[in-house]
Amino acid sequence: MRLDLHMHTTASDGENTPAELVAMAREAGLDVIAITDHDSTDGVLPAREAAAREGASEWPRVLAGIELSAEEPPEPGSGKETGDDVHMLGYLLDLESRELQDELILFREDRYTRGERIVEKLAALGMPLQWERVLAAAGQDERKGAGGKPSIGRPHIARAMVEAGYVGSVREAFDLYIRNDGPAYVARRRLSPEDAVAMIHRAGGVAVLAHPGLLKDPRAMIERLVKAGLDGVEVYHPDNRSDLRLNLLAWAAAHDLIVTGGSDFHGRSTKSNRLGQENPPAEMVAALEARAARMR
Ligand code: AMP
Ligand code: ZN
Ligand code: FE
Ligand code: FE
């Protein structure tokens, strides 16, 4: 069985619609996928519909997922206004939880006005962008969901900057202007990693720390979040080096954490991640289901 439990659609900053992603997952020979958009679950049901369109049963199987954007407070004395991003994956959540969807609508409203403020900063730096081009980069045609604003992220702004010719690539847009604490950076509404775990639990989901390889001190974060009820850790991810993966497996065993993995695919022209590239062990699906059942 082949799986990939981390990918993004046009419901956030992925380039492909949920239906396109399902077709690509079939091509890649995947049996189980999880749609994990930033601060939105709106891609899950359209993906399920696409997976059930031909044939009687769903292929591939589509797990409900999300990637919540949390943040560490900046280090005291560092002079920085922004801490590091901490992303929390949520699996098997109740998509119809009104409390969850209301919170997500607020997050996306915040992302929208924050995006407009980044665009204002870029204009002040001599790089005016039309907001419509940012929205176009967010390609929201197939969005169906809880309503409110689309999940605007910096990659959408970066793509509009490339289109306008201000930078040569998305990476350059981040490095020069919109990286954390870059000249055009604007912070999002702050959510602590502990609150992200709690929010996923309230919606009946399983909370998994995403790509620990991007954190300054993965071990400290895991130990801290275990106290908050963390359920799992993403071991198989392109940004986790092989030595870290070995450590993560040991820490997961010590703390009874579920081990998960996925490609973090955002589209063929974003980063070099390929759909299905991690091919993590299949038993994690049953482990997630058992944990979710315990939660109810
Ligand atoms: P946001 O959620 O709007 O703060 O944007 C963060 C997203 O931008 C992350 O989830 C990544 O997908 C992407 N990202 C962050 N840093 C970079 C970078 N240096 N180059 C390209 N994409 C990045
Ligand atoms: Zn992303
Ligand atoms: Fe992430
Ligand atoms: Fe991701």
Side-chain angles (χ1 to χ4, degrees):
M1 204 166 62
R2 290 182 61 87
L3 41 153
D4 187 336
L5 302 188
H6 190 156
M7 62 189 70
H8 297 268
T9 76
T10 45
S12 66
D13 56 8
E15 293 172 9
N16 301 102
T17 62
E20 285 165 356
L21 209 57
V22 163
M24 292 160 92
R26 286 177 175 179
E27 248 171 70
L30 293 170
D31 303 292
V32 186
I33 63 173
I35 305 288
T36 53
D37 276 305
H38 302 289
D39 302 335
S40 174
T41 59
D42 291 357
V44 176
L45 291 184
R48 274 202 186 133
E49 280 167 26
R53 211 167 278 160
E54 300 152 51
S57 62
E58 200 176 281
W59 172 56
R61 191 175 159 207
V62 179
L63 305 185
I66 196 164
E67 186 173 13
L68 289 180
S69 309
E71 196 195 296
E72 282 206 89
E75 269 175 61
S78 67
K80 291 191 175 176
E81 286 174 29
T82 315
D84 291 327
D85 292 326
V86 180
H87 289 174
M88 193 66 62
L89 293 160
Y91 290 109
L92 306 177
L93 346 85
D94 173 13
L95 300 179
E96 285 170 21
S97 157
R98 196 62 252 166
E99 188 190 352
L100 172 74
Q101 296 301 343
D102 284 346
E103 280 183 276
L104 295 178
I105 285 169
L106 289 181
F107 284 1
R108 294 199 293 269
E109 269 166 17
D110 172 68
R111 279 184 166 280
Y112 197 94
T113 47
R114 174 250 202 170
E116 290 176 323
R117 288 180 54 212
I118 292 176
V119 166
E120 281 166 21
K121 279 196 167 183
L122 288 169
L125 290 166
M127 292 171 284
L129 284 176
Q130 284 180 305
W131 184 241
E132 283 66 36
R133 297 316 301 157
V134 176
L135 290 180
Q140 330 145 34
D141 12 316
E142 240 193 86
R143 284 184 64 255
K144 251 187 244 176
K149 298 279 199 289
S151 188
I152 299 290
R154 282 178 283 168
H156 299 131
I157 295 168
R159 285 175 214 157
M161 290 176 76
V162 173
E163 184 188 76
Y166 297 137
V167 287
S169 66
V170 164
R171 172 150 294 273
E172 197 181 320
F174 271 89
D175 289 349
L176 295 179
Y177 303 109
I178 59 176
R179 65 171 192 276
N180 287 17
D181 277 323
Y185 181 74
V186 177
R188 289 185 313 262
R189 185 163 163 260
R190 198 163 279 172
L191 176 75
S192 77
E194 280 85 355
D195 287 346
V197 171
M199 194 173 149
I200 289 164
H201 284 169
R202 283 197 301 276
V206 179
V208 175
L209 180 64
H211 43 63
L214 294 178
L215 298 171
K216 260 194 224 93
D217 190 343
R219 182 176 199 170
M221 182 59 69
I222 288 167
E223 282 172 0
R224 174 178 147 189
L225 290 178
V226 161
K227 297 192 190 95
L230 183 72
D231 300 292
V233 58
E234 189 178 45
V235 174
Y236 305 96
H237 183 282
D239 290 323
N240 292 343
R241 290 170 28 173
S242 49
D243 51 341
L244 175 65
R245 292 182 190 210
L246 287 177
N247 285 329
L248 290 170
L249 288 172
W251 301 334
H255 294 294
D256 191 25
L257 296 171
I258 298 166
V259 165
T260 73
S263 64
D264 208 353
F265 184 71
H266 278 73
R268 287 197 175 118
S269 65
T270 316
K271 304 184 189 167
S272 55
N273 307 17
R274 282 174 298 106
L275 200 62
Q277 74 176 73
E278 292 288 338
N279 195 27
E283 59 258 25
M284 64 186 57
V285 176
L288 290 169
E289 284 170 333
R291 189 72 64 127
R294 229 164 71 189
M295 208 92 65
R296 304 247 152 94

